[in-house]
Amino acid sequence: MSLKIAVITPGGDAPGMNAAIRAVVRESLKEKWKVFGVYFGYQGLIEKNIRQLNSRSVSGIIQHGGTILKSSRCEQIKTDSGLKKAISTLKELKIDYLIVIGGDGSIKAAEKISKYIPVICIPASIDNDVFGTDETIGFDTAIDTAVEAIDKIRDTATSFERIFVVEVMGREHGFLALSCAVASGAEIVIIPEIKYDLEKIAKKVKEDKNKGKTSEIIIFAEGSGNPQEFAIKLEAKTKIPTRVSSLGYIQRGGSPSARSRIIASLFGEHAVELIKKNQKNKVVVIQNNKVKSLDIKEVTNNEKQIDKHLLELIQNLA
Ligand code: F6P
């Protein structure tokens, strides 16, 4: 079977995306398929920014963050005319399969494309907000990056005996925040999925101080509101100097961890395996360390839930 595959990395980049591109390209070339890279995400599909890739196109990229295929936020793909243009590019080039390496939003757009061209999705996002997979490519690296920064913040928090509100990414979800909080030994975590109670938090912080705690780290997921406003209110209630540190885009960059690279390589390999088996419109996932796939509709029709056990753990260990 001689196939034409297109690979794309829309939306927020995640460390390990390059490892996934490499795996997709090399596994496809092994089958003697033609592989095309779509540049700048869905915008590139609309504007026909596409080039053929070979084995050398993906040399020396496994250790690099970001995406060699570039990315963009593309509002146009959400419109009927944008979708039509993207489909016509794929049809014009006689693409048999589109492999989408991206997060929740990219998979939702892929589901629309799948009505016209078969797609296989590979979850990649620092947010880890894709239903059905224990982990997305890049999540592990982002936790490491954030925790390294939080450890440094802890040093100055302890020296000044201050409260630090550390804002982490995650869009409207708290998966990244929860894992960062466990790994950094944070005292409190605030996530969008659970409404916070300022009175309770202030009480806990004061109790901690009375017990001899010399610093307080509060991990604040970006989707939970304004961390500055929160810090001002908390300081007013506790009378303890409170500072905010937003980690921002450093969480998206950097060399992928070994785990992100391994998951990315396994996901890329599995995507090609699915195509070899004539499967279509699937999302590659990892569950209990096993790589498998789910129907794209199952993924887009469901919401991933936060792990309540992690929340309890943070409370119990703080
Ligand atoms: O989805 C990844 C992510 O980094 C989110 O955590 C964040 O909310 C968003 O992307 C930022 O998007 P942009 O790059 O468009 O500013």
Side-chain angles (χ1 to χ4, degrees):
M1 149 174 92
S2 165
L3 295 179
K4 274 185 166 183
I5 308 291
V7 57
I8 188 169
T9 54
D13 52 304
M17 272 183 166
N18 284 329
I21 299 168
R22 174 178 175 269
V24 164
V25 170
R26 297 229 165 127
E27 288 288 338
S28 300
L29 292 175
K30 234 174 63 195
E31 300 305 311
K32 311 251 179 297
W33 300 342
K34 285 195 174 124
V35 193
F36 294 84
V38 182
Y39 287 79
F40 293 100
Y42 288 124
Q43 201 59 44
L45 205 51
I46 291 168
E47 292 167 4
K48 300 183 189 160
N49 193 348
I50 299 180
R51 267 174 268 160
Q52 193 168 351
L53 303 173
N54 59 39
S55 194
R56 294 283 68 80
S57 318
V58 293
S59 292
I61 65 168
I62 195 168
Q63 70 275 34
H64 295 304
T67 162
I68 59 156
L69 293 178
K70 316 277 183 177
S71 192
S72 66
R73 297 280 178 204
C74 177
E75 286 304 312
Q76 236 186 312
I77 195 70
K78 296 177 189 160
T79 66
D80 286 346
S81 74
L83 183 66
K84 227 169 128 187
K85 282 185 192 155
I87 306 292
S88 91
T89 305
L90 292 167
K91 295 243 184 220
E92 209 178 286
L93 283 170
K94 298 195 166 44
I95 298 295
D96 298 294
Y97 270 92
L98 176 67
I99 298 186
V100 177
I101 305 172
D104 191 39
S106 304
I107 295 174
K108 285 196 173 112
E111 195 269 322
K112 287 192 185 161
I113 295 173
S114 73
K115 289 171 189 142
Y116 308 89
I117 305 270
V119 301
I120 301 290
C121 295
I122 295 179
S125 164
I126 63 160
D127 302 339
N128 199 24
D129 56 354
V130 176
F131 175 85
T133 189
D134 295 344
E135 208 171 316
T136 50
I137 295 169
F139 181 58
D140 179 70
T141 309
I143 298 168
D144 279 350
T145 304
V147 168
E148 195 187 331
I150 298 162
D151 287 349
K152 288 176 178 151
I153 291 169
R154 176 75 81 176
D155 289 345
T156 180
T158 309
S159 302
F160 275 80
E161 303 210 345
R162 282 171 172 162
I163 300 172
F164 262 88
V165 177
V166 182
E167 189 192 32
V168 300
M169 278 186 162
R171 210 176 276 279
E172 63 266 22
H173 291 289
F175 303 106
L176 183 60
L178 265 184
S179 290
C180 288
V182 175
S184 64
E187 280 68 29
I188 294 166
V189 63
I190 293 176
I191 56 172
E193 289 85 348
I194 295 170
K195 206 173 165 341
Y196 68 82
D197 180 337
L198 189 70
E199 293 295 334
K200 260 196 188 163
I201 293 173
K203 188 166 169 269
K204 180 189 165 5
V205 169
K206 282 194 267 181
E207 280 168 7
D208 283 353
K209 184 97 180 156
N210 292 337
K211 280 191 241 157
K213 254 194 191 296
T214 54
S215 66
E216 195 86 13
I217 297 286
I218 301 177
I219 304 295
F220 192 97
E222 64 171 346
S224 303
N226 185 327
Q228 295 288 351
E229 282 172 16
F230 169 80
I232 290 168
K233 285 189 206 150
L234 188 63
E235 182 171 310
K237 287 211 179 288
T238 60
K239 309 284 179 268
I240 303 170
T242 304
R243 297 286 188 272
V244 177
S245 190
S246 291
L247 300 188
Y249 290 90
I250 64 158
Q251 294 159 100
R252 273 220 319 237
S255 180
S257 66
R259 183 169 172 83
S260 289
R261 297 181 200 190
I262 292 167
I263 287 181
S265 303
L266 289 170
F267 279 10
E269 176 198 45
H270 198 82
V272 173
E273 281 299 322
L274 288 170
I275 298 175
K276 275 158 67 181
K277 290 182 187 148
N278 281 321
Q279 301 272 311
K280 53 176 110 152
N281 307 335
K282 300 276 178 193
V283 180
V284 180
V285 297
I286 186 161
Q287 293 178 353
N288 302 319
N289 269 325
K290 251 202 115 29
V291 177
K292 50 192 257 190
S293 68
L294 300 176
D295 282 332
I296 193 163
K297 276 200 176 300
E298 186 182 347
V299 173
T300 54
N301 287 341
N302 286 291
E303 272 278 299
K304 190 169 186 171
Q305 301 300 312
I306 57 143
D307 183 349
K308 293 251 169 69
H309 176 228
L310 283 187
L311 256 186
E312 278 168 32
L313 187 65
I314 294 158
Q315 283 155 10
N316 293 340
L317 300 183

